[in-house]
Coordinates of all heavy atoms in Angstrom, one line a residue:
M19 N 2.4 26.2 50.2 CA 1.8 26.2 51.6 C 0.4 26.8 51.4 O -0.6 26.3 52.0 CB 2.6 27.1 52.5 CG 2.2 27.1 53.9 SD 2.3 25.4 54.7 CE 1.9 25.8 56.4
D20 N 0.3 27.9 50.6 CA -1.0 28.5 50.4 C -1.9 27.5 49.7 O -3.1 27.3 50.1 CB -0.8 29.7 49.6 CG -2.0 30.7 49.8 OD1 -2.5 30.8 50.9 OD2 -2.4 31.3 48.8
F21 N -1.4 26.8 48.7 CA -2.2 25.8 48.0 C -2.6 24.7 48.9 O -3.8 24.2 48.9 CB -1.3 25.2 46.8 CG -2.0 24.1 46.1 CD1 -3.0 24.4 45.2 CD2 -1.6 22.8 46.3 CE1 -3.7 23.3 44.6 CE2 -2.2 21.8 45.7 CZ -3.3 22.0 44.8
Y22 N -1.7 24.2 49.7 CA -2.1 23.1 50.7 C -3.2 23.5 51.6 O -4.2 22.8 51.8 CB -0.8 22.8 51.5 CG -1.1 21.9 52.7 CD1 -1.4 20.6 52.5 CD2 -1.2 22.4 54.0 CE1 -1.7 19.7 53.6 CE2 -1.5 21.6 55.0 CZ -1.7 20.3 54.8 OH -2.0 19.5 55.9
L23 N -3.2 24.8 52.1 CA -4.2 25.2 53.0 C -5.6 25.3 52.3 O -6.6 24.9 52.8 CB -3.9 26.6 53.6 CG -2.7 26.6 54.6 CD1 -2.3 28.0 55.0 CD2 -3.1 25.8 55.8
R24 N -5.5 25.8 51.0 CA -6.8 25.9 50.2 C -7.4 24.5 50.0 O -8.6 24.3 50.1 CB -6.5 26.6 48.9 CG -6.8 28.1 49.0 CD -7.1 28.6 47.6 NE -6.1 28.2 46.6 CZ -5.0 28.9 46.3 NH1 -4.8 30.0 47.0 NH2 -4.2 28.5 45.4
T25 N -6.5 23.6 49.6 CA -7.0 22.2 49.2 C -7.6 21.6 50.5 O -8.6 21.0 50.4 CB -5.8 21.4 48.7 OG1 -5.2 22.0 47.6 CG2 -6.3 20.0 48.3
R26 N -6.9 21.8 51.6 CA -7.4 21.2 52.8 C -8.8 21.7 53.2 O -9.6 21.0 53.6 CB -6.4 21.4 53.9 CG -6.8 20.7 55.2 CD -5.7 20.9 56.3 NE -6.3 20.7 57.6 CZ -5.7 20.4 58.6 NH1 -4.4 20.2 58.6 NH2 -6.3 20.2 59.8
A27 N -8.9 23.0 53.0 CA -10.2 23.7 53.4 C -11.3 23.2 52.5 O -12.4 22.9 53.0 CB -10.1 25.2 53.3
T28 N -11.0 23.0 51.3 CA -12.0 22.4 50.3 C -12.4 21.0 50.7 O -13.6 20.7 50.8 CB -11.5 22.4 48.9 OG1 -11.1 23.7 48.5 CG2 -12.5 21.9 47.9
T29 N -11.4 20.2 51.1 CA -11.7 18.8 51.5 C -12.6 18.8 52.8 O -13.5 18.1 52.9 CB -10.4 18.1 51.7 OG1 -9.6 18.1 50.5 CG2 -10.7 16.6 52.0
D30 N -12.2 19.7 53.7 CA -12.9 19.7 55.0 C -14.4 20.1 54.7 O -15.3 19.6 55.3 CB -12.3 20.7 55.9 CG -11.0 20.1 56.5 OD1 -10.8 18.9 56.3 OD2 -10.3 20.8 57.2
A31 N -14.6 21.1 53.8 CA -15.9 21.5 53.5 C -16.8 20.4 52.9 O -17.9 20.2 53.2 CB -15.9 22.7 52.6
A32 N -16.1 19.6 52.0 CA -16.8 18.5 51.4 C -17.2 17.5 52.4 O -18.3 16.9 52.4 CB -16.0 17.9 50.3
I33 N -16.3 17.2 53.4 CA -16.6 16.3 54.4 C -17.7 16.8 55.3 O -18.6 16.1 55.7 CB -15.3 16.0 55.2 CG1 -14.3 15.2 54.4 CG2 -15.7 15.2 56.5 CD1 -13.0 15.0 55.0
D34 N -17.6 18.1 55.6 CA -18.7 18.7 56.5 C -20.1 18.5 55.8 O -21.0 18.2 56.5 CB -18.4 20.2 56.7 CG -17.3 20.4 57.7 OD1 -16.9 19.4 58.4 OD2 -16.8 21.5 57.8
R35 N -20.1 18.7 54.5 CA -21.4 18.5 53.8 C -21.9 17.1 53.9 O -23.1 16.8 54.1 CB -21.3 19.0 52.4 CG -21.4 20.5 52.2 CD -21.8 20.8 50.7 NE -20.7 20.3 49.8 CZ -19.6 20.9 49.5 NH1 -19.4 22.1 50.0 NH2 -18.8 20.4 48.7
D36 N -20.9 16.2 53.8 CA -21.3 14.8 53.9 C -21.8 14.4 55.3 O -22.8 13.7 55.4 CB -20.0 14.0 53.5 CG -20.4 12.6 53.0 OD1 -21.5 12.4 52.6 OD2 -19.5 11.7 53.0
V37 N -21.1 14.9 56.3 CA -21.5 14.7 57.6 C -22.9 15.3 57.9 O -23.7 14.6 58.5 CB -20.4 15.3 58.6 CG1 -21.0 15.2 60.0 CG2 -19.1 14.5 58.5
E38 N -23.1 16.5 57.4 CA -24.3 17.1 57.6 C -25.5 16.3 57.1 O -26.5 16.2 57.7 CB -24.3 18.5 57.0 CG -25.5 19.4 57.5 CD -25.3 20.8 57.0 OE1 -24.3 21.1 56.3 OE2 -26.2 21.6 57.2
R39 N -25.2 15.8 55.9 CA -26.3 15.0 55.2 C -26.5 13.7 56.0 O -27.7 13.3 56.2 CB -25.8 14.6 53.8 CG -26.8 15.1 52.8 CD -26.6 14.6 51.4 NE -25.5 13.6 51.2 CZ -24.4 13.9 50.6 NH1 -24.1 15.1 50.2 NH2 -23.5 13.0 50.4
S40 N -25.5 13.0 56.4 CA -25.6 11.7 56.9 C -25.9 11.7 58.4 O -26.5 10.7 58.9 CB -24.4 10.8 56.6 OG -23.3 11.4 57.2
C41 N -25.4 12.7 59.1 CA -25.5 12.7 60.6 C -26.6 13.6 61.2 O -27.4 13.1 61.9 CB -24.1 13.1 61.2 SG -22.8 11.9 60.8
T42 N -26.6 14.8 60.8 CA -27.6 15.7 61.4 C -29.0 15.4 61.1 O -29.9 15.8 61.8 CB -27.3 17.2 61.0 OG1 -27.4 17.3 59.6 CG2 -25.9 17.6 61.4
S43 N -29.2 14.7 59.9 CA -30.6 14.4 59.6 C -31.0 13.0 60.1 O -32.2 12.7 60.0 CB -30.7 14.4 58.0 OG -29.9 13.4 57.5
K44 N -30.1 12.3 60.7 CA -30.4 11.0 61.2 C -30.1 10.9 62.7 O -29.2 11.5 63.2 CB -29.6 9.9 60.4 CG -30.0 9.9 59.0 CD -29.1 8.8 58.3 CE -29.5 8.7 56.8 NZ -28.7 7.7 56.1
Q45 N -30.9 10.0 63.3 CA -30.7 9.7 64.7 C -29.5 8.8 64.9 O -29.3 7.8 64.2 CB -31.9 9.0 65.2 CG -31.9 8.7 66.7 CD -32.1 10.0 67.5 OE1 -32.8 10.9 67.1 NE2 -31.5 10.1 68.7
P46 N -28.5 9.2 65.8 CA -27.4 8.4 66.0 C -27.7 7.3 67.1 O -28.3 7.6 68.1 CB -26.3 9.4 66.5 CG -27.1 10.5 67.1 CD -28.4 10.5 66.5
Y47 N -27.3 6.1 66.9 CA -27.4 5.1 67.9 C -26.1 4.6 68.3 O -25.1 4.5 67.5 CB -28.3 3.9 67.3 CG -29.6 4.3 66.8 CD1 -29.9 4.5 65.4 CD2 -30.6 4.6 67.7 CE1 -31.1 4.9 65.0 CE2 -31.9 5.1 67.3 CZ -32.1 5.2 65.9 OH -33.3 5.7 65.5
A48 N -26.0 4.2 69.6 CA -24.7 3.8 70.2 C -24.3 2.5 69.7 O -23.1 2.2 69.7 CB -24.8 3.8 71.7
S49 N -25.2 1.6 69.3 CA -24.8 0.3 68.8 C -25.8 -0.2 67.7 O -26.9 0.4 67.5 CB -24.9 -0.7 70.0 OG -26.2 -0.9 70.4
E50 N -25.4 -1.2 67.0 CA -26.2 -1.7 65.9 C -27.5 -2.3 66.5 O -28.6 -2.2 66.0 CB -25.5 -2.8 65.1 CG -26.3 -3.3 64.0 CD -25.6 -4.3 63.1 OE1 -24.6 -4.8 63.6 OE2 -26.0 -4.5 61.9
A51 N -27.3 -2.9 67.7 CA -28.5 -3.6 68.4 C -29.5 -2.5 68.7 O -30.7 -2.7 68.6 CB -28.0 -4.3 69.7
E52 N -29.1 -1.3 69.2 CA -30.0 -0.3 69.5 C -30.7 0.2 68.3 O -31.9 0.5 68.3 CB -29.2 0.9 70.2 CG -30.2 1.9 70.7 CD -29.4 3.1 71.3 OE1 -28.2 2.9 71.7 OE2 -30.0 4.2 71.4
A53 N -30.0 0.4 67.2 CA -30.6 0.8 65.9 C -31.6 -0.1 65.5 O -32.7 0.2 65.0 CB -29.5 1.0 64.9
R54 N -31.3 -1.4 65.5 CA -32.2 -2.5 65.1 C -33.5 -2.5 66.0 O -34.6 -2.8 65.5 CB -31.5 -3.8 65.1 CG -30.6 -4.0 64.0 CD -30.0 -5.4 63.9 NE -29.0 -5.6 62.9 CZ -29.2 -5.8 61.6 NH1 -30.5 -5.8 61.2 NH2 -28.3 -5.9 60.8
A55 N -33.3 -2.3 67.3 CA -34.4 -2.3 68.2 C -35.4 -1.2 67.9 O -36.6 -1.4 67.9 CB -33.9 -2.2 69.7
V56 N -34.8 0.0 67.7 CA -35.7 1.1 67.3 C -36.4 0.9 66.0 O -37.6 1.2 65.8 CB -34.9 2.4 67.2 CG1 -35.7 3.6 66.6 CG2 -34.3 2.8 68.6
M57 N -35.7 0.3 65.1 CA -36.3 0.0 63.8 C -37.4 -1.0 63.9 O -38.5 -0.8 63.3 CB -35.2 -0.6 62.9 CG -35.7 -1.0 61.5 SD -34.3 -1.3 60.4 CE -33.4 -2.7 61.3
A58 N -37.2 -2.0 64.7 CA -38.3 -3.0 65.0 C -39.5 -2.4 65.7 O -40.6 -2.8 65.4 CB -37.7 -4.2 65.8
M59 N -39.2 -1.6 66.6 CA -40.2 -0.9 67.4 C -41.2 -0.1 66.5 O -42.3 0.0 66.8 CB -39.6 0.0 68.5 CG -40.3 0.0 69.8 SD -39.1 0.6 71.1 CE -38.4 2.1 70.4
N60 N -40.6 0.5 65.5 CA -41.4 1.4 64.6 C -41.9 0.6 63.4 O -42.5 1.2 62.5 CB -40.5 2.6 64.2 CG -40.3 3.5 65.4 OD1 -41.2 4.3 65.8 ND2 -39.1 3.5 65.9
G61 N -41.6 -0.7 63.3 CA -42.0 -1.5 62.2 C -41.4 -1.0 60.9 O -42.0 -1.2 59.8
M62 N -40.2 -0.5 60.9 CA -39.5 0.0 59.7 C -38.7 -1.1 59.1 O -38.1 -1.9 59.8 CB -38.7 1.2 60.0 CG -39.5 2.4 60.6 SD -38.4 3.9 60.9 CE -37.5 3.4 62.3
K63 N -38.6 -1.0 57.8 CA -37.7 -2.0 57.1 C -36.5 -1.2 56.5 O -36.6 -0.7 55.4 CB -38.4 -2.7 56.0 CG -39.5 -3.7 56.4 CD -39.8 -4.7 55.4 CE -41.0 -5.6 55.7 NZ -41.0 -6.1 57.1
L64 N -35.5 -1.1 57.4 CA -34.4 -0.2 57.0 C -33.1 -1.0 57.2 O -33.1 -2.2 57.6 CB -34.3 1.0 57.9 CG -35.5 1.9 57.8 CD1 -35.4 3.1 58.8 CD2 -35.7 2.6 56.4
F65 N -32.0 -0.4 56.9 CA -30.7 -1.1 57.0 C -29.9 -0.3 58.0 O -30.0 1.0 58.1 CB -29.9 -1.1 55.7 CG -30.7 -1.9 54.6 CD1 -31.6 -1.3 53.8 CD2 -30.5 -3.3 54.5 CE1 -32.3 -2.0 52.8 CE2 -31.1 -4.0 53.5 CZ -32.1 -3.4 52.7
T66 N -29.0 -1.0 58.8 CA -28.2 -0.3 59.7 C -26.8 -0.1 59.1 O -26.3 -1.0 58.3 CB -28.1 -1.0 61.0 OG1 -27.5 -2.3 60.7 CG2 -29.4 -1.2 61.7
Y67 N -26.1 0.9 59.5 CA -24.7 1.1 59.1 C -23.9 1.9 60.1 O -24.5 2.7 60.8 CB -24.6 1.7 57.7 CG -24.9 3.2 57.6 CD1 -23.9 4.1 57.7 CD2 -26.2 3.6 57.4 CE1 -24.2 5.5 57.6 CE2 -26.5 5.0 57.4 CZ -25.5 5.9 57.5 OH -25.8 7.2 57.4
H68 N -22.7 1.6 60.2 CA -21.8 2.3 61.1 C -21.3 3.5 60.5 O -20.7 3.5 59.4 CB -20.7 1.4 61.6 CG -19.8 2.1 62.6 ND1 -18.5 2.5 62.3 CD2 -20.0 2.4 63.9 CE1 -18.0 3.1 63.4 NE2 -18.8 3.0 64.4
C69 N -21.4 4.7 61.2 CA -21.0 6.0 60.6 C -19.6 6.3 61.0 O -19.2 6.2 62.1 CB -21.9 7.1 61.1 SG -21.4 8.7 60.5
R70 N -18.7 6.5 60.0 CA -17.3 6.8 60.2 C -17.1 8.2 60.8 O -16.0 8.5 61.3 CB -16.5 6.6 58.9 CG -16.6 7.8 58.0 CD -16.0 7.5 56.6 NE -16.9 6.8 55.8 CZ -16.6 6.5 54.5 NH1 -15.5 6.8 54.0 NH2 -17.5 5.8 53.7
Y71 N -18.1 9.1 60.7 CA -17.9 10.4 61.1 C -18.2 10.6 62.6 O -17.5 11.2 63.3 CB -18.7 11.4 60.2 CG -18.3 11.3 58.8 CD1 -19.3 10.9 57.8 CD2 -17.1 11.7 58.4 CE1 -18.9 10.8 56.5 CE2 -16.7 11.6 57.0 CZ -17.6 11.2 56.1 OH -17.3 11.1 54.8
C72 N -19.4 10.2 63.0 CA -19.8 10.4 64.4 C -19.6 9.1 65.2 O -19.8 9.1 66.4 CB -21.2 10.9 64.5 SG -22.4 9.7 63.9
D73 N -19.1 8.0 64.6 CA -18.8 6.8 65.3 C -20.1 6.2 65.9 O -20.0 5.5 66.9 CB -17.7 7.0 66.3 CG -17.0 5.7 66.7 OD1 -17.0 4.8 65.8 OD2 -16.6 5.5 67.8
C74 N -21.2 6.5 65.3 CA -22.5 5.9 65.8 C -23.1 5.1 64.7 O -22.6 5.0 63.6 CB -23.5 7.0 66.2 SG -22.9 7.9 67.7
W75 N -24.3 4.5 65.0 CA -25.0 3.8 64.0 C -26.2 4.6 63.5 O -26.8 5.3 64.2 CB -25.5 2.4 64.5 CG -24.3 1.5 64.8 CD1 -23.5 1.5 65.9 CD2 -23.9 0.4 63.9 NE1 -22.6 0.5 65.7 CE2 -22.8 -0.2 64.6 CE3 -24.4 -0.1 62.7 CZ2 -22.2 -1.3 64.0 CZ3 -23.7 -1.2 62.2 CH2 -22.6 -1.8 62.8
H76 N -26.4 4.5 62.2 CA -27.6 5.1 61.6 C -28.5 4.1 60.9 O -28.0 3.0 60.6 CB -27.2 6.2 60.6 CG -26.4 7.3 61.1 ND1 -26.9 8.2 62.1 CD2 -25.2 7.8 60.8 CE1 -26.0 9.1 62.4 NE2 -24.9 8.9 61.6
L77 N -29.7 4.5 60.6 CA -30.6 3.7 59.7 C -30.7 4.4 58.4 O -30.7 5.6 58.2 CB -31.9 3.7 60.4 CG -32.0 3.0 61.7 CD1 -33.4 3.1 62.3 CD2 -31.6 1.5 61.6
T78 N -30.7 3.5 57.3 CA -30.8 4.1 56.0 C -31.8 3.2 55.2 O -32.0 2.0 55.5 CB -29.5 4.1 55.3 OG1 -29.6 4.6 54.0 CG2 -28.9 2.7 55.2
R79 N -32.4 3.8 54.2 CA -33.4 3.1 53.4 C -32.6 2.1 52.4 O -33.2 1.2 51.9 CB -34.2 4.1 52.6 CG -35.5 4.5 53.2 CD -36.3 5.4 52.3 NE -36.2 6.7 52.8 CZ -37.1 7.2 53.7 NH1 -38.1 6.5 54.1 NH2 -37.0 8.5 54.1
R80 N -31.4 2.5 52.1 CA -30.7 1.7 51.1 C -29.7 0.7 51.8 O -29.1 1.1 52.8 CB -29.9 2.6 50.1 CG -30.8 3.3 49.2 CD -30.0 4.3 48.4 NE -29.3 5.3 49.3 CZ -28.3 6.0 48.9 NH1 -27.8 5.9 47.7 NH2 -27.7 6.9 49.7
P81 N -29.5 -0.5 51.2 CA -28.5 -1.3 51.7 C -27.1 -0.7 51.5 O -26.9 -0.2 50.4 CB -28.7 -2.6 51.0 CG -29.4 -2.2 49.7 CD -30.2 -1.0 50.1
T82 N -26.2 -0.8 52.4 CA -24.9 -0.1 52.3 C -23.9 -1.0 51.8 O -22.8 -0.6 51.3 CB -24.5 0.4 53.7 OG1 -24.5 -0.6 54.6 CG2 -25.3 1.6 54.1
S83 N -24.1 -2.3 51.8 CA -23.1 -3.3 51.4 C -22.7 -3.2 49.9 O -21.6 -3.2 49.6 CB -23.6 -4.7 51.7 OG -24.8 -5.0 51.1
S84 N -23.7 -2.9 49.1 CA -23.4 -2.9 47.6 C -23.2 -1.4 47.1 O -22.5 -1.2 46.2 CB -24.6 -3.5 46.8 OG -25.8 -2.9 47.1
S85 N -24.0 -0.5 47.7 CA -23.9 0.9 47.2 C -22.7 1.7 47.8 O -22.3 2.7 47.2 CB -25.2 1.6 47.5 OG -25.4 1.7 48.9
A86 N -22.2 1.2 48.9 CA -21.0 1.9 49.5 C -19.9 0.9 49.8 O -19.8 0.6 51.0 CB -21.5 2.7 50.7
P87 N -19.2 0.4 48.9 CA -18.2 -0.6 49.1 C -17.0 -0.1 50.0 O -16.2 -0.9 50.4 CB -17.7 -1.0 47.7 CG -18.1 0.2 46.9 CD -19.3 0.8 47.5
D88 N -17.0 1.2 50.1 CA -15.8 1.7 50.9 C -16.1 1.6 52.4 O -15.2 1.8 53.2 CB -15.6 3.2 50.6 CG -16.8 4.1 50.8 OD1 -17.9 3.6 50.5 OD2 -16.6 5.2 51.1
I89 N -17.4 1.3 52.8 CA -17.7 1.0 54.2 C -17.4 -0.4 54.5 O -18.2 -1.3 54.1 CB -19.1 1.4 54.5 CG1 -19.3 2.9 54.3 CG2 -19.5 1.0 55.9 CD1 -20.7 3.4 54.5
I90 N -16.3 -0.7 55.1 CA -16.0 -2.1 55.3 C -15.9 -2.5 56.8 O -15.2 -3.4 57.2 CB -14.6 -2.4 54.7 CG1 -13.5 -1.4 55.2 CG2 -14.7 -2.4 53.2 CD1 -12.1 -1.8 54.8
D91 N -16.6 -1.7 57.6 CA -16.6 -2.0 59.1 C -17.3 -3.4 59.3 O -18.4 -3.6 58.8 CB -17.4 -1.0 59.8 CG -16.6 0.4 59.8 OD1 -15.4 0.3 60.2 OD2 -17.2 1.4 59.4
E92 N -16.6 -4.3 59.9 CA -17.1 -5.6 60.1 C -17.1 -6.4 58.9 O -17.8 -6.6 58.1 CB -18.4 -5.7 60.8 CG -18.3 -5.1 62.2 CD -19.4 -5.6 63.2 OE1 -20.4 -5.9 62.7 OE2 -19.1 -5.6 64.4
Ligands
ZN106 ZN1 -23.0 9.9 61.6

């Protein structure tokens, strides 16, 4: 039981760091269309991806299809 709690806390901390990196530093968008609209408005060449943590869309410099095969939304 003690081991289980420790393991779970470690996992949660790792996820928190991941969320902090991907979510708090990026603007969340309610839809891919909104993300693309903002990107076009600012003349940016970025990629959109759906975030599994905050359930919003983010923009990223890297294409997510090849570098993150675990993201299979759509
Ligand atoms: Zn996010």
